[in-house]
Structures are given as C-alpha cells and as structure tokens.
Amino acid sequence: MGLRRPAPGQGPATRYFMSFHYFAGAACRALTARKDGPSLYEVCDPVLAASASGDPHLAKFYKTALGNPALRILLRRAGLPELRDDTKLARLREALVRARDEAEPDWAAVGQPVAELVDSIALDHPKPPPAMFTGSAPPQAQIDGVIRDCAQHLLGSYRKNGFLPTYAAFNLIGDPDFRGRELIMALTGLNARGYKNSSLLFNLARVFIARSPAGAVVNPPWKGIAEPMWEPVQIRHRSAYYDAFFIEALLSYVETGLASAADKTEAERAIADMVDFCVNISREEVEGIDGARFNVITALAPAPHPRFSRYFAQIKQDLGFGVYVPDCDTTACSISAATQAGCTDPIIDQPLLDFYSGYQVRAGINEPRVTVPLNDNIDYEGGVATWIDNLKGERPYGNDLDPTLNLDILEVSFRNLTRWKILETPARLATVHRIIGFQKRLAASGAFANPRSHIYYLPELYSAYFGRCYAAFLALPLAAQALIDPDGDFDFIRHRVLSYVKGELMAAEMNVFDAALALIALGHLGADPRAFAPALNVIVAGLGEGGRRGPFRAYEWNKMKTPTRILVGGPEVTSAFVLMGLAVAKRAMARG
C-alpha cells in the first residue's frame, strides 16, 4: 500500500477533501478486516507492556506512542502472516529484548529483523495527474484580495496568540524513501538512545499499518505534492526557523503597498518581536572546529519559549526529543531575516562562513561527519551538514546533510557579503565556491528533483528556495557576481530549476502550497509572467479551504524522516508562503 492517489472517477469533493464518510468507511474496514497473523501488540506486549527491566524509555515510548487505546483499536486486526512462524516471531522479540536490556546494543543487529519487515512494504511518492491547461490569470484585484486575506490572517493570529504558531503532525505510515537500509543507518548513526528507540518502534508499527486497511485511515489521498496535515493530532509550537519566514512574509506584505497605515505599524511591531526571538531568545553559544566561540540559533529555545502545552511538552520528552541542539539552517534563516529587517545586533557581524566551513564536507577528509546519510544518492562534497554540537558536545541526531539548507547559507552570505568581507577573504570565498559546486552537481545530475535527495524538504520547496537565493545573488553588484560565480553556475542551475517547475510541477495538478512555491521560484528566476497563470488560479480557487482556521489549509512545509514521517506546517505557514508567492508574482507582473 503506497501513498495512494485517488481512483479514476472520484469527484473533487471525495477525491481531495476527505469527508466523514471516507474516514468512517476506512475505519470500518480496518476494524472488521480478517486478522492474518500476530498483531503489533501480540508481538510487543510480552516484552514491553509491563517491563521494569533495562532501558525504561523503550517501554515508556511503546506505551505512550503505540500503546494508546485509539491506535490499539485501529490496529487490533492488523497482523503479519510471516510472524506465524515461531522462529521469526522469537527473533523479532529477541531484538526488542536486546534493545531494552543491553547497555550498549548492537543496533545494526537489533534493527535487522525490523528492517526486513520494513522492506516488505511498498510506498510511493505522490504522482499527481496532468493538469488542465490554464490560459489566463485571475484579475489583479483578486490577487490583491488574497494577499490582504493572508496578511490579515497572520496579523490576527499574532494578536490572538502573541506569536505565529506552527504545528507538527505524525504520519505513522512513514516516508517512502525510508526503508530497511535507512532504518539501519538511523539506528547506527543517531546518538540519543531515546531517538533510536522511537525510530525502531515507529518503523515496526508502520509495517502493520501499511500492510493493513488501517493505512487508509492513517494516510488518506490528497491533491498535489505537499502533504496536507490531517487533524486531529497536531502539536503547536514556536521556533526561530519559523519566525524567520514569518518575518519575510510580513516584510513582503509591507513592500506590496497594500498594507494600511495601521497594518504596517502592526506588522513592523510583530517583525521586531520575531527578530528579537530569533537573535536573542533563541541564541546559543557554541564552539567552532578551531575552538573559536560563535553565537548561533537553536531550533527550539528553552521552555517556555517554544509554547508547547504542558501535555505535549511531556509527550516530546517521552518520545525521545529531550535534547535539542542548534542547527545551521535555523541560524542562516534567522540571521537573514534579521538582516532584511534592519537589525543591528552584533550577532549579525559574525562571519558565519568561518563557522560553517568547519561543518563543510571535504571528500575523503571529514565525510564521517555525516553519520545518517539517508540521501547518499548525492555527492556531499562542498555541502554543509545540518546539526551543530552544543557546548556540552551533545549531538542527539548524529548529522545529516540537506541541499536546501545549503541554499540558505548562500542566501545569508550574499546578504552580508560586505559585512563579512567575503570577497576580501579567500577562505570565505572558497567556502561559498564549494557550496555552489555542490549545488551545480545536484542540478547537472537532476538529483535536486528526486525527493530522496532531500532530508527535510521536497523538490518544489528546494526550487522556491533556490529562487530566493538567486534573487539575493542578483541584488549584488555585477563585479561581485563575477567573483562569486565566474563560470555561470547560477544561470545553469536556474535553467534546470525552471525546467522542473514548468515541465513537471506545474504540468500536474497542484495544491495551494505547491502553487505558492511555484510562484516564488518562477518570479525570482525571471520566468515570463504569463507562466504564472496556473499557480495563480489554483490559489484563488483554493481561497476559503481552511475554514475557520484561515484562508487555506495546513500543508507540509518541511518534514523529518526519523523517527517516522513528521510533518511541519500550519494554516499560518500556508498564508505566509501564499503571501510571499503572490507578492513575488505581483512585482514580476508589474515589470511585465
């Protein structure tokens, strides 16, 4: 059972907006299916349900995440016939016992029986059907109206909450690119034991879900590429990474000229508060590879700043997310947003490229820095890894390397080119050149368009972020552009990304979030404004789909592949990206 597309003949209402009838029918089939082999609970209860020995977290995680009554009911008839073989069942339970009781388990051996089961499921990435041709764009007045609606949603949410919330949601069926091989990578490359425990058990559970009718409940079909975030369980929280993009969205609203004087004042007040959250509240000191100290931005500030409810704060701890460390992406995006907002805090003066160079992969020298190489189909040379060791030396997630993150490092470097003396400092310029080389190889091979190449994002989001990076590059003087990109690599990548956006993303059915990302890419990369029409029409037609929560629904912005597929987004996130996409399109159309 894969990430299913709607069956031919389904109407729009039943195809994409799952009704009560869909879920009732899917649940009924899951609850009445013929049971064929031991269930998840018949496998695990003897080992974990009442365990008082060994690592207490494994049993606690099992009871919290997988043993809850609702999931037990849903999966009670989901069995695996191969586990009727007593030898295979005993081998699987033995692996769980080793994970529970051994002080230093051999995680590759522990994970092998689960990895073999994971390889028995078939998941696919969405393959939207071709889109109908759209000739004309909606009137400018309608586009401006959507911009205002999105801005009012953001400002109203900020007034109501005191911040702009984002949400995390678990999809227990897992990620299509995460198979048995990747599970072993995670178990051996992650550092925190709680994170290994959760990865092991989540992946065991996803086999029972994906191979039973329960999969239709957990993973309903959708339109487009970015996954909608299905309710009811979503974890609201705040992060500097999210605030950075909310800052850019409100800045783009002010720049459209559509904001009233009162809205402009309110937006500026929210921007100033979010800049402070990014560069002060979320600031953390770390040590670079050469021992020098730097201030970076942590993904989750200390409590109570992430705004978790007390219930979810405890759940986060129980699931193995007790320690959060800073990361290179949150740092880059936060410093970029603060720079755009005119912040003068000394943190912006740090030449971050000196720090990033210590996390840059050099083939044959520091490749072991990437301990969780889930996207090892790409060449890491020149790329910067994700996670930053804190001062205690903790690295709970091991480390990985994401292409989109590296675009954010380039973008913030272009915005601070003069401040960081990049052209005058050969080592810093060399770091930039090597990241550009990393990106060019992705474009030349076409790997950027393969979802497996990305750790936290989707190819259409990479395309939008490349557009954002390219716009910062074009804002530089021509002489600086020539020194940064003497071989015209950016133009080469631009053509490849435009080809993907126009020839693949927009040639198929899109949802609102896909369309917003397409507009960001097209507008920044200098596409003919007539090419905007399909994305503009998708957005205008989708207005109101969010119901009481906002103009639009919550969609997947970024994701985790471990310990299972965790989506991050929210109605406010969709409004922010739609606002930015329409603002970019509006500027491009005004230029003709």
Side-chain angles (χ1 to χ4, degrees):
M1 181 178 300
L3 296 178
R4 300 167 311 285
R5 307 310 308 157
Q10 289 181 303
T14 57
R15 286 173 71 194
Y16 303 131
F17 299 96
M18 293 300 104
S19 64
F20 168 80
H21 297 289
Y22 170 87
F23 283 106
C28 182
R29 287 186 288 275
L31 296 175
T32 59
R34 184 176 69 88
K35 187 167 177 287
D36 190 12
S39 71
L40 173 68
Y41 304 105
E42 289 167 330
V43 171
C44 295
D45 278 355
V47 179
L48 301 173
S51 174
S53 64
D55 175 22
H57 176 264
L58 190 70
K60 188 173 188 179
F61 175 85
Y62 173 66
K63 295 170 188 174
T64 301
L66 304 182
N68 68 80
L71 196 59
R72 274 186 177 269
I73 292 172
L74 184 65
L75 296 180
R76 70 188 183 92
R77 304 194 68 79
L80 300 183
E82 58 265 50
L83 294 183
R84 289 206 219 105
D85 182 324
D86 290 341
T87 302
K88 290 184 178 180
L89 179 59
R91 180 169 171 252
L92 182 57
R93 281 184 179 152
E94 180 189 0
L96 295 175
V97 169
R98 293 182 64 184
R100 183 194 69 189
D101 291 348
E102 293 182 6
E104 296 290 340
D106 178 344
W107 285 101
V110 165
Q112 192 57 42
V114 179
E116 290 168 8
L117 291 174
V118 168
D119 281 336
S120 72
I121 62 179
L123 298 177
D124 298 307
H125 291 285
K127 296 179 177 63
M132 295 183 63
F133 175 74
T134 304
S136 58
Q140 186 63 55
Q142 278 189 297
I143 296 170
D144 289 350
V146 178
I147 292 175
R148 290 191 179 97
D149 286 345
C150 291
Q152 290 307 313
H153 179 216
L154 294 177
L155 294 174
S157 179
Y158 195 88
R159 283 194 301 271
K160 175 184 176 182
N161 298 295
F163 72 106
L164 285 170
T166 304
Y167 299 82
F170 289 79
N171 185 335
L172 296 181
I173 209 163
D175 193 275
D177 293 318
F178 199 93
R179 300 187 58 76
R181 174 175 175 268
E182 287 72 30
L183 173 61
I184 300 301
M185 285 181 182
L187 293 176
T188 55
L190 297 167
N191 286 0
R193 182 155 186 170
Y195 210 63
K196 294 172 186 274
N197 289 341
S198 55
S199 296
L200 181 71
L201 289 183
F202 265 139
N203 277 276
L204 179 58
R206 65 190 284 239
V207 181
F208 291 86
I209 295 168
R211 288 177 53 185
S212 76
V217 180
V218 169
N219 195 58
W222 68 85
K223 177 180 180 179
I225 301 294
E227 182 175 342
M229 294 176 62
W230 307 97
E231 296 193 47
V233 181
Q234 295 183 359
I235 303 173
R236 190 182 79 163
H237 61 297
R238 183 181 192 182
S239 165
Y241 181 77
Y242 315 146
D243 273 23
F245 282 91
F246 288 134
I247 290 168
E248 290 195 16
L250 290 179
L251 286 171
S252 68
Y253 174 50
V254 172
E255 290 167 3
T256 63
L258 297 174
S260 66
D263 283 352
K264 185 173 181 289
T265 299
E266 189 173 6
E268 289 171 346
R269 189 179 302 121
I271 288 168
D273 174 68
M274 289 189 286
V275 168
D276 181 65
F277 183 83
C278 287
V279 303
N280 288 317
I281 293 172
S282 301
R283 182 186 308 212
E284 182 173 346
E285 189 178 53
V286 297
E287 197 171 86
I289 300 300
D290 60 357
R293 294 291 182 97
F294 287 86
N295 286 308
V296 297
I297 312 300
T298 193
L300 281 183
H305 299 296
R307 301 295 190 103
F308 288 112
S309 70
R310 183 176 300 177
Y311 171 73
F312 278 123
Q314 185 59 51
I315 290 290
K316 180 176 78 76
Q317 195 80 16
D318 292 344
L319 295 184
F321 296 97
V323 176
Y324 250 87
V325 292
D327 66 273
C328 292
D329 209 6
T330 300
T331 301
C333 292
S334 296
I335 298 300
S336 172
T339 302
Q340 294 175 65
C343 176
T344 57
D345 190 285
I347 193 173
I348 297 178
D349 295 329
Q350 299 175 115
L352 278 176
L353 284 171
D354 292 352
F355 177 77
Y356 285 137
S357 67
Y359 283 82
Q360 188 171 45
V361 171
R362 290 164 175 79
I365 300 174
N366 64 346
E367 283 180 326
R369 177 170 289 283
V370 180
T371 64
V372 191
L374 301 180
N375 56 345
D376 62 356
N377 58 301
I378 65 174
D379 178 6
Y380 296 144
E381 159 59 30
V384 175
T386 303
W387 298 100
I388 299 170
D389 297 359
N390 62 20
L391 282 179
K392 295 179 181 178
E394 293 171 307
R395 52 179 78 175
Y397 313 118
N399 224 325
D400 50 50
L401 196 152
D402 187 88
T404 307
L405 175 158
N406 280 265
L407 293 175
D408 294 334
I409 293 173
L410 290 176
E411 192 265 354
V412 72
S413 298
F414 298 156
R415 291 194 182 279
N416 292 282
L417 190 79
T418 302
R419 179 183 280 117
W420 294 352
K421 295 182 170 55
I422 292 172
L423 299 183
E424 299 86 350
T425 311
R428 293 171 192 164
L429 185 57
T431 299
V432 169
H433 284 159
R434 295 179 67 241
I435 298 175
I436 294 173
F438 167 70
Q439 300 293 351
K440 184 181 180 181
R441 289 192 299 276
L442 282 169
S445 66
F448 78 93
N450 180 355
R452 184 168 178 258
S453 303
H454 303 274
I455 298 290
Y456 301 107
Y457 305 96
L458 293 169
E460 68 267 33
L461 196 122
Y462 173 92
S463 302
Y465 281 32
F466 176 74
R468 174 175 169 268
C469 177
Y470 186 75
F473 173 72
L474 287 187
L476 298 174
L478 290 177
Q481 292 181 34
L483 290 171
I484 290 168
D485 184 21
D487 299 322
D489 292 342
F490 266 101
D491 199 47
F492 175 84
I493 301 170
R494 170 184 172 270
H495 283 289
R496 292 299 178 100
V497 170
L498 277 176
S499 178
Y500 164 75
V501 172
K502 293 192 288 187
E504 295 186 42
L505 174 60
M506 296 180 68
E509 285 188 335
M510 295 182 288
N511 58 44
V512 166
F513 203 75
D514 299 332
L517 297 176
L519 287 177
I520 293 172
L522 293 175
H524 282 318
L525 298 179
D528 187 328
R530 288 174 294 186
F532 300 172
L536 291 170
N537 281 297
V538 166
I539 289 171
V540 169
L543 185 65
E545 68 175 23
R548 291 176 297 175
R549 298 193 67 187
F552 302 102
R553 301 180 64 190
Y555 291 92
E556 168 190 357
W557 172 14
N558 53 73
K559 64 179 182 292
M560 301 282 285
K561 294 184 177 182
T562 58
T564 188
R565 184 169 166 81
I566 304 175
L567 308 180
V568 176
E572 287 85 356
V573 170
T574 306
S575 288
F577 275 87
V578 168
L579 197 165
M580 288 190 283
L582 294 180
V584 170
K586 181 180 172 71
R587 285 198 302 271
M589 290 187 291
R591 292 194 301 266

